[in-house]
Structure formats: C-alpha cells, structure tokens
Amino acid sequence: MIKGIQIGDKYCKYPIIQGGMGVGVSLHRLAGAVSAEGGIGVLSAADIGYQEPDFETNPKEANLRAIRTEIEKAREIAGKDKIIAANIMVAMTDYAELVKEFVKQGIDLIISGAGIPLNLPEYIIGSKTKIAPIVSSLRCCQLIVKTWRKKYNYIPDMIVIEGPKAGGHLGFKRDELFAEDDRKPQLEEITSEVVSYVRDLEKETGKEIPVIAAGGVWDGKDIKKFMELGADGVQMATRFVATHECDASEAFKKAYVKATSSDIQIIDSPVGMPGRAIRNEFIRQKEAGNSRITKCYQCIKTCNVKDAPYCITRALINAVKGNLDEGLIFCGSNVDKVKEIVSVHELMQELTMELA
C-alpha cells in the first residue's frame, strides 16, 4: 500500500513532491496539476511575477503581487483540500518579504534552501503554514534543528534532502561534484544518516517529520529505493518539466527531450553557486566572453553585478519563454532520459504503478 504525506490538516495521496523550478517553470499550471493528481505541487518564488506588466520597472512589487494570483489559480486546478507548496531560496534579496507574503496568502508549505534557512520559523509562527528546510548533509540538518529549537522552540515540519544529482543551483562545492565516485557525496548515504537522526528526534519530541529524498530520482524503482532507506517520499523536478502542464514554453520542454548525456554541464552561476544546466549556445557564448549587465533585478544577495558574467534573472526568463540561444536551461542529471512530453496524469500514473 502506498502511503502519502501529511502536512498540517491536509494529506496527499502519493509520496511525490514536484520540485520548485524557477524562473517560471513551475507556476500554477504545473503545481495545481500535480496536487490534483495526489502529489504536492510546488510554486517557485524566483521572480514569480516575471509576467506582470510592471516587472521590468518594479520587480519587487510585481513578484509580491503575483504570489496571490499563482496560489489562487493553483488551488482552482487542484481543489481547496489539496496541498500547495512554495520553494523560496534563502539567497533571494527579498526572502523575508516573499515568505511573509506566501504565509499571508495561505500557502500550505514552504520549502527553503539555496542557503541555510535559520530564521524561517519567525515568519510563520501563528499561521497554518508549515516549513521544510532543504539540507545537503546530516551536519546541515543538525544545525538547522538545533537553531530552530533553541531560538524558536520549533521543529521542522518536513526535511528535504537534496543530493548532488539535482538540477539548478546545487548545495555542494564544485570539487565535491567532480570527486571520484568513492569520495563523491551520495544521496543514499546522506538519506540514511538524516533518517536515523530524524527518527530519534521524532521519539524525543513526539512530532512526525517526513523526510524527503531529492536529486536524481527518476522512476518508481528509485522512489522505492529511497523509501526502503527510510525516507517518507521523494521530490522530483526534471520529469515534471516534460509535461503538457509545465508552465515553461514548448521550446524549453523540447530542449529536455533533445538533450543527451554529453549536453549536461556543471556551470558556475553568477550568484556564486555551481549549477547543472543543458549546454547550449548561451553557455558557449558566455565561455567566450562576459556580457555587460545593463539592468539589475536585485534577485539574489550573493550576485556581484560588477563581476557577474551575465544576469541570471534575464537568462532564466529568456529560457522559460523559449529564447534558448539567450537563455540558461537548468536541468537535473537525468535529463537525457526524457524522451517525450506527457501529461501530469500520465506521469503520476506511471510513477505510482511502478512504485506499487
């Protein structure tokens, strides 16, 4: 029997979370469809208002305004009783304001990484919103739990473990990603360590804390493998890009279908983190020489505009809109396995049948 995940007073049928993908790859259409099918759909907060008419002149207000619209539209698709989550990067310049607005608009769950969300509980206390930090190691998990308990008397409602095979920005150093296999971080090992720690924490506190494995999860066999290691579910992103409901352009989705293993590349992001992307004309151009940034969207705290090789906001918006030659296409390590674009219903049926 397949067991779902409890978040507050809501329950999802299947232990599958769709990873948050920005800019604009996972908005209301994808998140709503995944939740409607029994998973947990996730909105990406990264420049969530990029389609607002005043985004170019007032990105901060455009992003805050779009949060309500995206949540409402996702709920219309999924139904009021389904779980809708948001992924918010700690590194975002307006992190606190974004979290507060998602809470104000009644988001069920906030998943937060790309930095260590040590202060996240202070923004949700008194609300129904639940919170889940993204961790890349047992040490990181322990630090967050210790800080939250001491400072806020709060225990995480869920913990997401993101391994080195994930897409987009990665929580590992470049030398870790390129290490020999016997020295490279392994999601399986990290999951076992974190699960053991969390089960002890559950016994001590009496609170159930779902542990979610993410990064390189492809099919039902992978889901089963991590659940046998003690995880309560998985987070998957790459496969959900190749769905009809994904909010990205058709050109973006077809880039996934066409990608081969030799197209997958670890890049140095302008925000100071390594990232996994599809090698394309844009990346080749940037290797040949940087382009001057003429406008800053104030998106990420760690971006040094003067030295950055390009504007990551503009690169990601170009990609999601289908202007691939001028866009950065983030992907996961299994993108070469994507062969066709299907519906979310078909994908969820395939995954759950394999798992069963």
Side-chain angles (χ1 to χ4, degrees):
M1 181 178 176
I2 300 174
K3 182 182 177 182
I5 301 168
Q6 185 86 25
I7 298 295
D9 58 359
K10 294 184 179 181
Y11 178 82
C12 69
K13 185 177 181 181
Y14 301 121
I16 299 172
I17 300 175
Q18 158 252 311
M21 297 169 283
V23 170
V25 179
S26 64
L27 295 178
H28 68 270
R29 285 194 304 162
L30 179 56
V34 173
S35 292
E37 290 294 331
I40 297 179
V42 182
L43 302 167
S44 170
D47 288 318
I48 192 171
Y50 84 97
Q51 297 178 92
E52 292 289 303
D54 61 340
F55 177 76
E56 290 295 327
T57 56
N58 196 358
K60 179 176 179 178
E61 291 302 318
N63 288 331
L64 292 173
R65 187 187 319 119
I67 290 171
R68 179 178 180 177
T69 303
E70 290 297 327
I71 293 175
E72 288 179 346
K73 288 183 176 180
R75 292 204 190 285
E76 287 174 5
I77 296 169
K80 301 294 184 181
D81 61 329
K82 299 297 194 299
I83 301 168
I84 300 294
N87 180 290
I88 311 177
M89 297 188 293
V90 178
M92 297 183 73
T93 302
D94 298 324
Y95 178 72
E97 291 91 337
L98 290 166
V99 172
K100 290 176 185 177
E101 188 62 26
F102 270 105
V103 172
K104 180 181 177 181
Q105 300 305 329
I107 199 72
D108 297 306
L109 173 68
I110 291 174
I111 300 170
S112 191
I116 304 178
L118 295 179
N119 299 326
L120 182 55
E122 74 180 70
Y123 308 123
I124 60 93
I125 290 174
S127 75
K128 291 185 177 181
T129 299
K130 305 303 179 184
I131 49 177
I134 297 176
V135 304
S136 57
S137 67
L138 172 60
R139 183 179 177 184
C140 178
C141 181
Q142 291 171 324
L143 172 62
I144 292 170
V145 170
K146 181 180 179 180
T147 302
W148 286 14
R149 294 185 75 179
K150 182 178 180 180
K151 195 172 180 180
Y152 304 103
N153 192 28
Y154 199 99
I155 305 296
D157 300 294
M158 172 189 286
I159 291 172
V160 178
I161 310 163
E162 192 169 277
K165 294 182 179 179
H169 289 121
L170 304 170
F172 296 87
K173 297 177 181 179
R174 178 174 264 273
D175 59 350
E176 291 178 307
L177 298 172
F178 287 97
E180 297 294 329
D181 287 344
D182 60 342
R183 298 181 62 190
K184 188 179 295 184
Q186 300 294 329
L187 179 58
E188 291 84 353
E189 182 179 344
I190 302 168
T191 298
S192 295
E193 293 174 345
V194 172
V195 165
S196 177
Y197 169 71
V198 170
R199 297 306 170 232
D200 288 340
L201 183 63
E202 288 178 321
K203 292 176 183 177
E204 179 187 347
T205 63
K207 179 176 182 177
E208 289 189 13
I209 310 165
V211 176
I212 308 301
V217 180
W218 175 256
D219 56 18
K221 291 180 181 178
D222 287 336
I223 299 173
K224 185 177 181 180
K225 175 179 69 175
F226 285 105
M227 294 187 76
E228 287 176 345
L229 289 173
D232 299 282
V234 299
Q235 180 176 279
M236 306 172 67
T238 294
R239 293 202 73 176
F240 284 105
V241 172
T243 60
H244 299 302
E245 294 88 345
C246 175
D247 296 87
S249 65
E250 286 302 302
F252 189 99
K253 299 174 192 180
K254 288 178 180 177
Y256 271 51
V257 175
K258 295 176 182 177
T260 65
S261 58
S262 61
D263 294 324
I264 304 170
Q265 181 173 342
I266 300 296
I267 65 160
D268 291 317
S269 167
V271 303
M273 306 175 194
R276 182 172 280 110
I278 296 176
R279 182 172 177 78
N280 64 348
E281 182 60 27
F282 175 80
I283 290 178
R284 285 188 285 270
Q285 289 175 1
K286 298 315 164 191
E287 288 175 344
N290 298 343
S291 57
R292 188 169 67 91
I293 297 176
T294 57
K295 177 178 176 58
C296 178
Y297 294 88
Q298 300 292 320
C299 61
I300 302 293
K301 301 172 188 174
T302 54
C303 182
N304 185 338
V305 178
K306 292 182 179 180
D307 299 328
Y310 55 87
C311 172
I312 194 164
T313 285
R314 178 46 51 194
L316 293 174
I317 290 175
N318 286 343
V320 77
K321 287 184 173 181
N323 181 7
L324 304 186
D325 285 347
E326 297 182 26
L328 178 63
I329 312 169
F330 276 146
C331 68
S333 60
N334 287 317
V335 69
D336 59 311
K337 296 180 181 179
V338 175
K339 301 303 178 187
E340 61 179 335
I341 299 172
V342 300
S343 69
V344 168
H345 174 75
E346 290 172 309
L347 177 56
M348 289 293 286
Q349 287 294 303
E350 177 185 335
L351 292 170
T352 53
M353 286 178 67
E354 290 172 344
L355 177 58

